[in-house]
Amino acid sequence: MDLIVKRFEDLTTRELYDLLQVRVAVFVVEQDCPYQELDGKDLFSYHIFYKENGCIQAYLRVVDPNPGCDKVAIGRVLTVRRGSGLGKKVMLAGIRVAQEKLGADNIYIEAQTYAKGFYEQLGFQQISDEFLEDGIPHIKMLLTL
């Protein structure tokens, strides 16, 4: 399995298509949640994904600090094969990229509430009450490095 780390402008057209396809499949279709998946943050993000046999198996993006969030953030975390350990593997790669490429000393996420335990195992701590985003319960979490 190959780990790929690229800035938006370095993605091939095919890679961009594939990562958007898997994100829509998981976050829009599977979760039955119509929302604006293309939010503009991809343009100033590192895209980190594991690929096997030409198919994306796990993905996330590391978002630069920006006017909407003054911290480095991780988002759009997904795995195709849940329970395989790929979620942890891609998160550790994302944390490493945040530290090495962006000099992050904190990483912010808005996690779906059901995944709180997963992120806590990686050192994230809840920093907000639960809230709804696109009809799905979320919490804000922070990892201090």
Side-chain angles (χ1 to χ4, degrees), residues 7-20:
R7 292 294 292 182
F8 177 81
E9 57 273 10
D10 298 323
L11 292 168
T12 67
T13 306
R14 182 59 195 229
E15 287 169 334
L16 178 60
Y17 180 89
D18 290 347
L19 71 87
L20 292 174

Side-chain angles (χ1 to χ4, degrees), residues 4-12 15-16 19-20 23 37-49 59-69 71-77 93-94 97-98 101-102 107-108:
I4 298 163
V5 177
K6 291 188 175 183
R7 292 294 292 182
F8 177 81
E9 57 273 10
D10 298 323
L11 292 168
T12 67
E15 287 169 334
L16 178 60
L19 71 87
L20 292 174
R23 283 174 21 183
E37 213 291 327
L38 300 177
D39 60 3
K41 294 178 184 174
D42 291 316
L43 301 171
F44 47 95
S45 296
Y46 280 94
H47 299 270
I48 295 130
F49 50 103
Y59 168 86
L60 60 75
R61 67 181 180 186
V62 177
V63 184
D64 301 350
N66 62 80
C69 179
K71 295 175 180 55
V72 172
I74 289 179
R76 301 294 199 267
V77 180
V97 167
K101 306 265 189 201
L102 298 174
I107 301 173
Y108 172 82

Side-chain angles (χ1 to χ4, degrees), residues 120-140:
E120 285 177 334
Q121 289 176 5
L122 294 165
F124 285 86
Q125 296 180 346
Q126 183 174 341
I127 59 169
S128 77
D129 292 330
E130 187 175 277
F131 61 95
L132 288 179
E133 182 158 330
D134 300 313
I136 297 173
H138 282 72
I139 53 173
K140 295 177 183 183

